[in-house]
Amino acid sequence: MSVYPLTEVLHGENKAVVVSGPFVQVLDSKSGELLSSTANLEGEARESVVKSGPVRCAAVDTAYQHLATAADDKHLKVWAVDGLQLLSTRELPKKPTQIAFTRDGKTIVVADKFGDVFSYPLVPEPVPEPSPDSKNDTLASHENPSGGRLILGHTSLLTSFSLSEDEKYIVTADRDEHIRVSWYPHGYCIENYCLGHQKFVSSIHIPSFAPHILISGGGDPSLKIWDWRAGKSLCDIPISDTVTPYIKVRPKRRRWGDEDHEGADEGEGNGKKRGRRGRAKTKKKGQDGQAASAEPDAQDDEGMDEDAPVVEDLSETTTPVPEAVAHEESSEALEPVHVLGKLDSFSTGGHHIIVFNAVGATALFWCSSPSLSGQDLPVVVHAHDFGLPVITFVRHAGVEGRILVVLDAQWSAEGGEVASDKPQEAIKVLQLTADSAEEADLSPLVSTINTQCRPAATTSDLKALDIYSHLSSMPKNAHASHNPMLRDSAAPEIAAQQGKSRRGQPRGDRTSAKAKGKMKTRMALLQNAQQTSEEQRASEEREVKRPRSEAGGELESEGQGDTPDVVMDAP
């Protein structure tokens, strides 16, 4: 039987919050007693929780009194941790990427996929009517239906943010390799930038033992240490050689248009999948050979922007793929993709430790924080392999150097569900020192989580959860077939490549007649546009060469083929 994997664990000294799929559960940290769970709801209450979709972001205040969550329905929900009573629900403009409470617990800060950061009061306030003189809405990339206060905005997907210790600054990172330091809450005042990443930045962290430095990482082969107030890079910690051998999960193959930009999945917020304009209507033939109704395709296009660009799939095919060829393509493993997961730090035994995981890697990684004293000493990155992908981790409150590691217990290297009557442990306990790690005995809390906090899920539920989506969504695909500006001009090369198997061997033409027709039409339009552009340039050049009289009229040459020179009077 399939169960939801744990996607988030928040651990406090007295209480712990566990998130699995759409469900939230609260436990006693010491006794392990399950105090409350939305998985135990019945009737309309449970249906509402399930309909919201998987919880993507969760955060608690420092006192563990309030919990904030956001799921695929794009609603910010505030719960009382005691009893999991729902206190408020507010609609978010876009899907969030991170949620955090301020230190006093009175403000919730939310970053979203369109690059904006908004703040919301803990207790919702009445949303005022928009006034014509209001400038806040014009600064945001989208409207906010719940009256959130705009803090700042990026022009790319915002992946992570961190408030400074005094909460006077907010550090934000995006998928375009940028790290920005801004004032908080007046984010329009930019203090500086931390620039130097060559690939996306997926995680940033300000350590409590050194609040003046910033640790960042993403798709680059190293972690970067910054003096974030000065925007100065202090050092790099190479991690690629240690991390890459443990990355066992490979990204899904993507085609052009498969969530390659920030807002590609916004249509899923209401539980409806957005269709693609220009796609052929699906037809099913019955026993009488007649085509079935195409109404479902019309429903797919419901709610789409009429001004949205037409997206057509070059890889559309109707020819059946031979089983041997299909097996050959599916069995070929893609190269491992390096996406840094979570970054954290702590102090133990007089040492400062940096801990992190990589998406799809079966190990947890850690290293000592560099001294930054000018001594160029190498930093050794350690790894502890669990044999199962690490989803996330959290520090054990009250125990120095102890980490709760969340694993994907249903993963198998061969693919598919692990066939076992007794599911493997979803959480393991690791005791870390500066240069060693040891798996510790399971506490009552961990035992309860492993046995009672794993709700049943269907195959479609797990597919919708897609815990490894960052392997495909974070890296930018630079291939011409994924670039709408280059795809038409590269169509012949793409078509030639499609005529070969992934190992370079020729294969039969699998392109449908409709796809060929679309390709031919695009090439004709491209040639026509190029010819028109050349004619316009030639016409402009002729106009430039033709002189004008002082009155603005044209000087016509009487039967002369060359244009006469213009003689200027001396001043």
Side-chain angles (χ1 to χ4, degrees):
M1 179 184 67
S2 298
V3 295
Y4 278 109
L6 306 179
T7 53
E8 188 67 78
V9 175
L10 307 171
H11 191 276
E13 292 186 1
N14 298 314
K15 294 178 182 178
V17 178
V18 176
V19 176
S20 52
F23 303 109
V24 180
Q25 301 163 87
V26 178
L27 301 92
D28 187 287
S29 295
K30 298 178 180 178
S31 67
E33 179 186 359
L34 181 61
L35 302 177
S36 53
S37 173
T38 57
N40 296 332
L41 298 176
E42 298 179 353
E44 294 182 359
R46 180 184 176 87
E47 182 180 353
S48 175
V49 170
V50 174
K51 189 176 180 181
S52 297
V55 175
R56 302 297 181 178
C57 303
V60 290
D61 58 6
T62 54
Y64 269 74
Q65 294 181 348
H66 298 99
L67 167 70
T69 63
D72 281 348
D73 63 349
K74 296 187 294 185
H75 281 77
L76 175 64
K77 296 182 179 181
V78 178
W79 311 73
V81 175
D82 291 335
L84 275 182
Q85 178 186 359
L86 183 61
L87 302 179
S88 65
T89 300
R90 279 167 281 191
E91 183 181 357
L92 298 175
K94 300 296 177 182
K95 286 187 177 181
T97 55
Q98 186 178 341
I99 296 177
F101 278 90
T102 54
R103 189 167 46 193
D104 60 8
K106 296 181 179 179
T107 304
I108 305 171
V109 183
V110 182
D112 64 37
K113 287 192 172 185
F114 266 57
D116 288 340
V117 177
F118 289 92
S119 66
Y120 300 86
L122 177 65
V123 179
E125 299 175 351
V127 180
E129 293 293 333
S131 61
D133 299 333
S134 177
K135 296 183 179 180
N136 191 46
D137 289 340
T138 62
L139 298 177
S141 61
H142 43 269
E143 296 180 357
N144 194 310
S146 300
R149 177 183 178 182
L150 177 66
I151 303 299
L152 57 86
H154 282 232
T155 58
S156 177
L157 186 151
L158 203 150
T159 57
S160 181
F161 71 86
S162 182
L163 289 170
S164 62
E165 186 180 36
D166 57 7
E167 295 188 347
K168 293 183 178 180
Y169 299 93
I170 180 171
V171 185
T172 51
D174 63 29
R175 201 178 68 161
D176 282 347
E177 309 95 32
H178 301 144
I179 299 176
R180 183 197 301 178
V181 181
S182 309
W183 292 9
Y184 179 83
H186 306 294
Y188 50 82
C189 296
I190 300 175
E191 185 72 10
N192 53 53
Y193 290 89
C194 298
L195 303 178
H197 280 280
Q198 301 299 316
K199 295 184 179 180
F200 59 87
V201 183
S202 58
S203 185
I204 58 176
H205 171 66
I206 298 178
S208 58
F209 56 77
H212 65 285
I213 71 170
L214 173 76
I215 309 171
S216 64
D220 289 312
S222 62
L223 299 179
K224 290 186 176 294
I225 310 295
W226 308 84
D227 179 350
W228 57 267
R229 292 179 180 176
K232 178 182 178 182
S233 176
L234 301 178
C235 68
D236 290 357
I237 303 177
I239 63 174
S240 180
D241 292 342
T242 304
V243 172
T244 302
Y246 294 99
I247 300 178
K248 305 300 182 182
V249 181
R250 298 296 187 260
K252 296 180 180 178
R253 299 187 185 276
R254 291 190 301 167
R255 296 180 300 176
W256 187 87
D258 290 348
E259 297 187 10
D260 200 35
H261 57 90
E262 291 82 1
D265 55 355
E266 290 303 321
E268 300 174 4
N270 298 326
K272 297 179 180 180
K273 293 184 178 180
R274 293 181 61 174
R276 278 200 303 260
R277 297 185 64 187
R279 182 182 61 185
K281 295 183 178 180
T282 304
K283 295 183 179 181
K284 298 181 180 179
K285 293 187 177 181
Q287 295 180 355
D288 56 354
Q290 297 296 327
S293 172
E295 292 180 358
D297 190 72
Q299 295 176 0
D300 287 343
D301 290 335
E302 181 181 356
M304 289 190 62
D305 187 358
E306 292 298 328
D307 296 329
V310 176
V311 179
E312 296 173 347
D313 194 350
L314 278 174
S315 62
E316 183 180 359
T317 177
T318 58
T319 306
V321 181
E323 183 177 356
V325 176
H327 176 73
E328 176 185 348
E329 294 183 6
S330 61
S331 62
E332 183 186 359
L334 294 176
E335 292 296 324
V337 175
H338 186 283
V339 179
L340 192 74
K342 181 178 180 180
L343 267 172
D344 204 348
S345 61
F346 62 92
S347 299
T348 179
H351 297 277
H352 301 315
I353 309 298
I354 300 172
V355 189
F356 60 95
N357 74 299
V359 179
T362 60
L364 186 70
F365 309 95
W366 76 98
C367 64
S368 296
S369 177
S371 63
L372 306 178
S373 60
Q375 298 179 355
D376 190 15
L377 298 177
V379 177
V380 179
V381 179
H382 304 276
H384 183 83
D385 189 13
F386 294 93
L388 295 171
V390 176
I391 299 176
T392 186
F393 65 92
V394 64
R395 284 180 290 160
H396 191 294
V399 181
E400 190 178 81
R402 182 159 293 185
I403 306 293
L404 303 182
V405 184
V406 180
L407 307 174
D408 183 4
Q410 296 184 105
W411 176 85
S412 66
E414 294 77 17
E417 180 184 349
V418 176
S420 175
D421 296 335
K422 183 180 179 181
Q424 299 189 48
E425 296 171 346
I427 288 189
K428 290 192 175 183
V429 183
L430 197 64
Q431 187 68 40
L432 290 180
T433 63
D435 54 4
S436 65
E438 182 180 355
E439 293 190 22
D441 295 334
L442 301 183
S443 63
L445 170 65
V446 175
S447 298
T448 302
I449 294 175
N450 284 330
T451 56
Q452 301 182 33
C453 298
R454 304 173 67 181
T458 64
T459 303
S460 60
D461 292 333
L462 298 179
K463 185 177 180 181
L465 182 60
D466 195 9
I467 58 178
Y468 303 112
S469 61
H470 282 177
L471 293 176
S472 300
S473 63
M474 282 292 177
K476 296 180 180 179
N477 199 317
H479 192 272
S481 62
H482 292 253
N483 190 331
M485 303 302 294
L486 303 176
R487 190 167 62 107
D488 288 340
S489 59
E493 291 79 2
I494 297 172
Q497 183 64 28
Q498 289 178 345
K500 298 181 179 180
S501 68
R502 300 197 183 275
R503 295 184 179 179
Q505 299 298 325
R507 65 188 180 198
D509 187 3
R510 297 163 49 196
T511 308
S512 66
K514 184 172 183 179
K516 291 180 180 178
K518 291 179 180 179
M519 188 182 300
K520 184 176 180 181
T521 301
R522 284 194 293 270
M523 293 302 299
L525 291 174
L526 179 62
Q527 293 176 358
N528 187 26
Q530 292 175 345
Q531 183 178 358
T532 302
S533 177
E534 292 175 357
E535 292 177 353
Q536 290 178 348
R537 285 198 300 269
S539 177
E540 291 173 357
E541 291 176 357
R542 288 195 297 268
E543 290 294 334
V544 170
K545 293 180 179 179
R546 300 178 67 181
R548 306 228 174 225
S549 65
E550 294 180 358
E554 296 183 358
L555 293 176
E556 299 180 357
S557 56
E558 300 178 358
Q560 302 295 328
D562 297 332
T563 304
D565 295 335
V566 178
V567 180
M568 304 295 295
D569 295 333

